[in-house]
Amino acid sequence: MRAWLPALLRLALLVLLVVFIASPGWFEPLLRPLTENGAPAIYNQGSLLTLTLLHLRTVLVATVAATIVAVALAILVTRPAGAEFLPLSRSLVNIGQTFPPVAVLALAVPAVGFGEKPTLIALFLYGLLPIFENALTALTTLPGNVMEAARGAGMTGWQRLMKVELPLSAPVILGGIRLSVVISLATATIGSTVAAKTLGEVIIAGLISNNLAFVLQGGLIVAALAVLIYDGLSAIERYAARRMGREAE
Amino acid sequence: MIEIEGITKRYNGTAVVDDVSMIVEPRTIAVIVGTSGSGKTTLLRMINRLVEPTAGVIKLDGADNRSLPGYQLRRSIGYAIQGHGLFPHRTVAQNIGTVPLLLGWDKDRIKARVEELMTLYQLDPQAYGPRYPHELSGGQQQRVGVARALAAEPNVLLMDEPFGALDPIIRTKAQEDLLAIQKRFGTTIVLVTHDMEEAVHMGDKIAVMDAGKLLQYARPAEILARPANGFVETLVGSSERPFRLLSLGRVRDAVEPGGAEGEAIPGDASQRDALAELLWTGRPALPVKGADGKPLGRVTVEGLVKRARPA
Ligand SMILES: Nc1ncnc2c1ncn2[C@@H]1O[C@H](COP(=O)(O)OP(=O)(O)OP(=O)(O)O)[C@@H](O)[C@H]1O
Ligand SMILES: [Mg+2]
């Protein structure tokens, strides 16, 4: 009974989320008490479904780009030829992380204009570090005798990378992607300050019109998405780790 | 043939392998023994260039081993790594098929070869083929590691303590299998072990290493009879020496004319086994029979004891 309880809770959350996004009207009575002066209880300046999908798309695009760049960078600096760039790439990626996303937005708008682009840039920079760090850890802590066996079998450098190093690193890299996605899901909301179409729009609309119901529904959708995606990626990670005879941490 | 000529490997100025020269004749087994850290693994790895020597040359069948790119050289040399080093994310069958796949064998040929090797090492292909290495016992993993090294039918096989984790029964079986494979394909083998018994049993020649130096390289009987120095003598084990010497000889070669009471021992058995049987049963002599069952004569305690000392 214990074992399937969490799964059941997740399923319930997923169903609730889908139903809420698809027909938020059904939940109006629940949110009504949070509004004043007959203000609308359900976001009425656009479709929640569209905003959710756009929000997810923004996060997806930024994460895919961050993954490609971070993993490529980690591969590069763990090759003998690229080892000297290790400190440099570490500091570059760290700068990406220490720079506040709001500042990135402010700097990016003059360069690329309002809309999705500055948000993508901020999310991309912000998502790099966890993926890079994890990929670096994974690629530098591979079991020595397995790597020796790969060389001993006559694999070329490229074959070792594709057939041994990356598959063995996959669970840990996935862990980095998971962290990055969750950070991005939350951070994407501020993209709406520069006119990106994300769920941040709902929250900002609530703040402007002092409508607690808007703020709450925007926040809850983002939170539910984060929980579900985090769980899903954790499950994939555990599966990958189990296949390798490693315990997921 | 493997010709090792003046090979030295230094790490930070320390010679880990120090000016070693030895020749492994084609279709023979050279066993390297020595204390931990004496440079056995390093010497082995220089043969397939997993380690590049600081000085010296290694030739395989007359050709410098640097005349091919390293990865191509290594595909032609079987390597059973110390502690198996199986790929944890690949099944047993995929692990064994690694080198054939790299060499571009077609699927059916790889499958057939993998099943042949698994059967040889008593791992049912249906049951174990799809498993992952962590789902095997230590001894099974080690056998898969050896099977992987053998997969592409290499002419040269390097084995680093391949039977360490096997129980005595499976170890003996694995040794016999390896000898049979070696005879059948004429493989040249360099094998590292800590087990002197294994060295005497498997080796056409034994190389004794200490602190990077090759102390003695000779036939087992020679090493047992005339150890080059105190270190070799200790390693050989003075109390075991007579029995090891006897284990090298066949009963057939110790036969004396005459008969004896009791069950006959086959002429192929080792002289050590014959002596053990005599001591255990308290008899002075045993009848000996040939492969066809015909009596050949007898072996005596007295006769064997004479043979337990170097000539
Ligand atoms: N890459 C390396 N860098 C520095 N020192 C090394 C390196 N590889 C091996 N050594 C050293 O070389 C020496 C010989 O190592 P090697 O692995 O050849 O020993 P071995 O005889 O195989 O020992 P064992 O029986 O324990 O396997 C050891 O002292 C080891 O610490
Ligand atoms: Mg070793």
Side-chain angles (χ1 to χ4, degrees):
Chain A
M1 164 133 178
R2 279 251 181 77
W4 51 261
L5 194 63
L8 201 70
L9 283 175
R10 270 172 215 136
L11 190 69
L13 182 62
L14 179 65
V15 171
L16 197 66
L17 180 68
V18 170
V19 172
F20 186 84
I21 293 169
S23 36
W26 294 359
F27 296 82
E28 218 228 314
L30 276 175
L31 292 165
R32 171 111 319 230
L34 296 172
T35 60
E36 289 164 13
N37 312 329
I42 299 297
Y43 187 62
N44 57 356
Q45 297 160 31
S47 140
L48 280 179
L49 179 63
T50 314
L51 283 180
T52 305
L53 291 179
L54 287 172
H55 190 106
L56 287 176
R57 191 187 69 178
T58 305
V59 171
L60 181 76
V61 171
T63 306
V64 167
T67 302
I68 291 171
V69 172
V71 172
L73 209 58
I75 290 171
L76 198 75
V77 299
T78 50
R79 300 308 100 182
E84 53 184 308
F85 297 106
L86 181 59
L88 177 70
S89 57
R90 263 219 167 100
S91 24
L92 275 181
V93 173
N94 269 309
I95 291 170
Q97 185 82 356
T98 49
F99 225 68
V102 180
V104 176
L105 287 181
L107 287 176
V109 168
V112 297
F114 283 92
E116 198 187 11
K117 276 188 200 151
T119 315
L120 282 175
I121 292 173
L123 294 188
F124 167 77
L125 291 179
Y126 230 55
L128 279 177
L129 186 73
I131 304 176
F132 178 71
E133 283 289 1
N134 277 32
L136 208 56
T137 308
L139 288 171
T140 50
T141 56
L142 292 166
N145 62 342
V146 174
M147 290 313 298
E148 278 292 282
R151 284 183 66 211
M155 290 189 189
T156 59
W158 176 252
Q159 287 167 332
R160 290 202 299 277
L161 177 66
M162 299 310 286
K163 293 179 172 213
V164 182
E165 296 180 55
L166 285 180
L168 285 182
S169 304
V172 178
I173 295 180
L174 268 172
I177 295 176
R178 174 168 52 100
L179 288 180
S180 172
V181 166
V182 170
I183 295 172
S184 293
L185 276 170
T187 313
T189 51
I190 62 163
S192 294
T193 56
V194 292
K197 286 268 170 201
T198 75
L199 287 165
E201 226 179 80
V202 183
I203 299 173
I204 290 167
L207 291 172
I208 289 170
S209 60
N210 204 9
N211 185 334
L212 197 55
F214 281 13
V215 176
L216 198 66
Q217 64 200 261
L220 283 178
I221 294 174
V222 173
L225 286 174
V227 168
L228 288 170
I229 291 173
Y230 184 92
D231 270 4
L233 289 174
S234 298
I236 297 174
E237 222 177 294
R238 276 197 305 276
Y239 170 77
R242 229 188 357 259
R243 274 249 329 233
M244 260 154 257
R246 290 199 194 158
E247 287 305 315
E249 55 265 61
Chain B
M1 178 155 71
I2 306 170
E3 293 162 275
I4 299 172
E5 295 168 5
I7 278 288
T8 297
K9 178 67 193 182
R10 283 198 197 86
Y11 286 116
N12 314 316
T14 322
V16 164
V17 171
D18 194 356
D19 194 19
V20 169
S21 298
M22 59 189 268
I23 293 177
V24 185
E25 296 294 340
R27 294 174 293 281
T28 65
I29 301 182
V31 179
I32 307 178
V33 295
T35 43
S36 190
S38 55
K40 305 182 296 294
T41 298
T42 308
L43 179 61
L44 201 68
R45 282 191 181 157
M46 285 191 279
I47 298 175
N48 66 359
R49 280 175 56 206
L50 282 175
V51 172
E52 297 287 351
T54 314
V57 180
I58 296 180
K59 290 185 195 157
L60 298 170
D61 290 331
D64 192 319
N65 69 350
R66 286 166 299 190
S67 54
L68 277 180
Y71 67 93
Q72 266 178 31
L73 175 79
R74 290 189 277 272
R75 287 176 195 178
S76 69
I77 299 179
Y79 180 44
I81 192 171
Q82 187 169 8
H84 73 73
L86 294 178
F87 301 125
H89 61 300
R90 296 173 147 213
T91 63
V92 167
Q94 288 169 333
N95 262 287
I96 297 177
T98 304
V99 183
L101 189 70
L102 290 173
L103 289 172
W105 289 18
D106 65 58
K107 261 171 92 182
D108 293 336
R109 185 167 168 214
I110 296 178
K111 187 164 179 279
R113 179 67 180 152
V114 167
E115 290 186 356
E116 181 188 341
L117 282 166
M118 291 192 69
T119 312
L120 178 67
Y121 281 101
Q122 296 172 330
L123 295 164
D124 175 20
Q126 257 65 48
Y128 289 95
R131 288 207 197 171
Y132 287 91
H134 72 274
E135 297 168 323
L136 303 182
S137 76
Q140 290 168 337
Q141 290 171 341
Q142 206 163 40
R143 275 177 281 160
V144 174
V146 173
R148 180 174 65 180
L150 288 169
E153 296 168 6
N155 274 329
V156 173
L157 191 54
L158 310 177
M159 311 183 85
D160 203 342
E161 302 184 28
F163 306 131
L166 304 185
D167 65 71
I169 293 176
I170 295 199
R171 173 192 286 238
T172 309
K173 170 89 172 58
Q175 289 169 348
E176 296 315 316
D177 289 342
L178 187 64
L179 286 174
I181 288 169
Q182 193 259 343
K183 291 244 159 54
R184 197 164 107 215
F185 295 102
T187 318
T188 307
I189 299 177
V190 182
L191 184 144
V192 172
T193 182
H194 276 136
D195 179 358
M196 205 56 213
E197 199 92 25
E198 183 167 281
V200 171
H201 179 56
M202 304 282 291
D204 291 299
K205 275 189 158 189
I206 297 177
V208 182
M209 289 190 69
D210 183 39
K213 290 213 165 54
L214 180 63
L215 297 183
Q216 192 170 9
Y217 180 52
R219 309 191 67 82
E222 173 81 12
I223 296 243
L224 291 168
R226 278 175 287 277
N229 60 23
F231 179 84
V232 180
E233 192 168 338
T234 316
L235 200 74
V236 162
S238 17
S239 64
E240 295 283 338
R241 230 166 7 171
F243 306 106
R244 293 202 166 123
L245 206 53
L246 279 180
S247 73
L248 286 169
R250 304 286 116 197
V251 170
R252 196 186 314 105
D253 304 320
V255 169
E256 301 165 28
E261 293 294 302
E263 177 127 19
I265 187 164
D268 278 344
S270 80
Q271 293 174 7
R272 179 186 184 153
D273 291 343
L275 182 63
E277 180 66 21
L278 285 166
L279 294 175
W280 192 249
T281 55
R283 289 180 288 173
L286 270 182
V288 180
K289 62 179 181 191
D292 49 7
K294 288 213 189 88
L296 293 176
R298 62 175 188 168
V299 280
T300 61
V301 174
E302 218 173 318
L304 290 174
V305 166
K306 273 201 203 105
R307 285 168 186 276
R309 288 204 314 271

Short mmCIF file of all heavy atoms in Angstrom, two decimals, chain A residues 65-78 128 131-132 134-136 139 161 166 173-174 177:
data_model
loop_
_atom_site.label_atom_id
_atom_site.label_comp_id
_atom_site.label_asym_id
_atom_site.label_seq_id
_atom_site.Cartn_x
_atom_site.Cartn_y
_atom_site.Cartn_z
N ALA A 65 19.02 23.64 -25.50
CA ALA A 65 20.21 24.39 -25.89
C ALA A 65 21.27 24.32 -24.79
O ALA A 65 22.45 24.09 -25.06
CB ALA A 65 19.85 25.84 -26.20
N ALA A 66 20.83 24.50 -23.54
CA ALA A 66 21.80 24.47 -22.43
C ALA A 66 22.44 23.10 -22.32
O ALA A 66 23.64 22.97 -22.06
CB ALA A 66 21.10 24.83 -21.11
N THR A 67 21.64 22.03 -22.53
CA THR A 67 22.17 20.67 -22.45
C THR A 67 23.25 20.45 -23.50
O THR A 67 24.35 19.96 -23.20
CB THR A 67 21.05 19.64 -22.63
OG1 THR A 67 20.06 19.88 -21.63
CG2 THR A 67 21.57 18.23 -22.50
N ILE A 68 22.91 20.84 -24.74
CA ILE A 68 23.87 20.61 -25.82
C ILE A 68 25.19 21.34 -25.53
O ILE A 68 26.27 20.76 -25.58
CB ILE A 68 23.28 21.08 -27.17
CG1 ILE A 68 22.13 20.15 -27.55
CG2 ILE A 68 24.35 21.10 -28.26
CD1 ILE A 68 21.33 20.63 -28.75
N VAL A 69 25.06 22.62 -25.15
CA VAL A 69 26.28 23.40 -24.92
C VAL A 69 27.05 22.88 -23.70
O VAL A 69 28.26 22.68 -23.75
CB VAL A 69 25.94 24.90 -24.77
CG1 VAL A 69 27.16 25.69 -24.34
CG2 VAL A 69 25.40 25.43 -26.09
N ALA A 70 26.32 22.62 -22.61
CA ALA A 70 27.00 22.21 -21.37
C ALA A 70 27.68 20.85 -21.55
O ALA A 70 28.82 20.66 -21.13
CB ALA A 70 26.00 22.15 -20.22
N VAL A 71 26.98 19.89 -22.17
CA VAL A 71 27.57 18.56 -22.34
C VAL A 71 28.75 18.63 -23.32
O VAL A 71 29.80 18.03 -23.08
CB VAL A 71 26.51 17.55 -22.81
CG1 VAL A 71 27.15 16.21 -23.16
CG2 VAL A 71 25.46 17.34 -21.71
N ALA A 72 28.57 19.40 -24.40
CA ALA A 72 29.67 19.53 -25.35
C ALA A 72 30.90 20.13 -24.68
O ALA A 72 32.03 19.67 -24.87
CB ALA A 72 29.24 20.39 -26.54
N LEU A 73 30.65 21.13 -23.85
CA LEU A 73 31.75 21.79 -23.13
C LEU A 73 32.43 20.80 -22.18
O LEU A 73 33.67 20.73 -22.11
CB LEU A 73 31.17 22.96 -22.34
CG LEU A 73 32.07 24.16 -22.08
CD1 LEU A 73 32.57 24.74 -23.38
CD2 LEU A 73 31.30 25.22 -21.29
N ALA A 74 31.62 20.04 -21.47
CA ALA A 74 32.18 19.07 -20.52
C ALA A 74 32.99 18.02 -21.26
O ALA A 74 34.06 17.60 -20.80
CB ALA A 74 31.06 18.40 -19.72
N ILE A 75 32.49 17.57 -22.41
CA ILE A 75 33.24 16.59 -23.20
C ILE A 75 34.57 17.19 -23.64
O ILE A 75 35.63 16.59 -23.50
CB ILE A 75 32.42 16.14 -24.44
CG1 ILE A 75 31.24 15.29 -24.00
CG2 ILE A 75 33.30 15.37 -25.41
CD1 ILE A 75 30.26 14.98 -25.12
N LEU A 76 34.50 18.44 -24.13
CA LEU A 76 35.69 19.10 -24.63
C LEU A 76 36.78 19.20 -23.57
O LEU A 76 37.94 18.85 -23.81
CB LEU A 76 35.30 20.50 -25.12
CG LEU A 76 36.31 21.15 -26.05
CD1 LEU A 76 36.23 20.51 -27.42
CD2 LEU A 76 36.05 22.64 -26.11
N VAL A 77 36.40 19.65 -22.39
CA VAL A 77 37.43 19.89 -21.38
C VAL A 77 37.88 18.61 -20.68
O VAL A 77 38.84 18.63 -19.92
CB VAL A 77 36.99 20.93 -20.32
CG1 VAL A 77 36.70 22.26 -20.98
CG2 VAL A 77 35.80 20.43 -19.54
N THR A 78 37.21 17.48 -20.94
CA THR A 78 37.69 16.22 -20.36
C THR A 78 38.51 15.43 -21.37
O THR A 78 38.96 14.32 -21.06
CB THR A 78 36.53 15.35 -19.84
OG1 THR A 78 35.54 15.23 -20.86
CG2 THR A 78 35.90 15.95 -18.59
N LEU A 128 22.86 26.35 -17.66
CA LEU A 128 24.13 25.73 -18.01
C LEU A 128 24.83 25.05 -16.83
O LEU A 128 25.27 23.92 -16.92
CB LEU A 128 25.09 26.78 -18.59
CG LEU A 128 24.93 27.18 -20.04
CD1 LEU A 128 25.94 28.29 -20.37
CD2 LEU A 128 25.17 25.99 -20.95
N ILE A 131 23.97 21.43 -15.39
CA ILE A 131 24.23 20.37 -16.37
C ILE A 131 25.73 20.20 -16.57
O ILE A 131 26.26 19.09 -16.57
CB ILE A 131 23.54 20.68 -17.71
CG1 ILE A 131 22.05 20.90 -17.49
CG2 ILE A 131 23.76 19.54 -18.70
CD1 ILE A 131 21.30 21.31 -18.73
N PHE A 132 26.43 21.33 -16.69
CA PHE A 132 27.88 21.26 -16.90
C PHE A 132 28.57 20.59 -15.72
O PHE A 132 29.40 19.69 -15.91
CB PHE A 132 28.43 22.67 -17.12
CG PHE A 132 29.91 22.72 -17.29
CD1 PHE A 132 30.50 22.24 -18.46
CD2 PHE A 132 30.73 23.24 -16.31
CE1 PHE A 132 31.87 22.29 -18.62
CE2 PHE A 132 32.11 23.28 -16.47
CZ PHE A 132 32.68 22.80 -17.63
N ASN A 134 27.38 18.53 -13.48
CA ASN A 134 27.09 17.09 -13.40
C ASN A 134 27.80 16.31 -14.50
O ASN A 134 28.33 15.23 -14.25
CB ASN A 134 25.58 16.85 -13.46
CG ASN A 134 24.93 17.03 -12.11
OD1 ASN A 134 25.38 17.85 -11.31
ND2 ASN A 134 23.89 16.27 -11.85
N ALA A 135 27.79 16.85 -15.71
CA ALA A 135 28.46 16.15 -16.81
C ALA A 135 29.95 16.02 -16.52
O ALA A 135 30.55 14.98 -16.75
CB ALA A 135 28.23 16.89 -18.13
N LEU A 136 30.52 17.08 -15.95
CA LEU A 136 31.94 17.05 -15.63
C LEU A 136 32.23 16.00 -14.56
O LEU A 136 33.16 15.22 -14.67
CB LEU A 136 32.35 18.44 -15.13
CG LEU A 136 33.79 18.84 -15.35
CD1 LEU A 136 34.16 18.75 -16.81
CD2 LEU A 136 34.01 20.26 -14.83
N LEU A 139 31.87 12.52 -16.15
CA LEU A 139 32.92 12.14 -17.10
C LEU A 139 34.29 11.98 -16.44
O LEU A 139 35.15 11.29 -16.97
CB LEU A 139 33.02 13.19 -18.22
CG LEU A 139 31.85 13.18 -19.22
CD1 LEU A 139 31.92 14.38 -20.14
CD2 LEU A 139 31.85 11.89 -20.04
N LEU A 161 33.87 7.45 -26.26
CA LEU A 161 32.95 8.50 -25.82
C LEU A 161 31.50 8.09 -26.04
O LEU A 161 30.67 8.16 -25.13
CB LEU A 161 33.26 9.79 -26.59
CG LEU A 161 32.34 10.96 -26.29
CD1 LEU A 161 32.52 11.43 -24.86
CD2 LEU A 161 32.59 12.11 -27.26
N LEU A 166 29.58 8.34 -22.47
CA LEU A 166 28.28 9.02 -22.37
C LEU A 166 27.19 8.12 -21.79
O LEU A 166 26.46 8.55 -20.90
CB LEU A 166 27.88 9.59 -23.73
CG LEU A 166 28.64 10.87 -24.14
CD1 LEU A 166 28.18 11.36 -25.50
CD2 LEU A 166 28.48 11.96 -23.10
N ILE A 173 24.21 13.03 -15.70
CA ILE A 173 23.89 14.18 -16.56
C ILE A 173 22.40 14.48 -16.49
O ILE A 173 21.98 15.64 -16.39
CB ILE A 173 24.32 13.91 -18.02
CG1 ILE A 173 25.85 13.78 -18.09
CG2 ILE A 173 23.85 15.04 -18.95
CD1 ILE A 173 26.40 13.50 -19.48
N LEU A 174 21.59 13.42 -16.51
CA LEU A 174 20.14 13.61 -16.38
C LEU A 174 19.79 14.33 -15.09
O LEU A 174 18.89 15.18 -15.06
CB LEU A 174 19.44 12.25 -16.40
CG LEU A 174 18.97 11.74 -17.75
CD1 LEU A 174 18.48 10.31 -17.63
CD2 LEU A 174 17.85 12.64 -18.27
N ILE A 177 20.24 17.93 -15.72
CA ILE A 177 19.16 18.45 -16.56
C ILE A 177 17.90 18.66 -15.71
O ILE A 177 17.20 19.67 -15.84
CB ILE A 177 18.87 17.48 -17.73
CG1 ILE A 177 20.08 17.41 -18.65
CG2 ILE A 177 17.62 17.90 -18.49
CD1 ILE A 177 19.96 16.41 -19.78
#
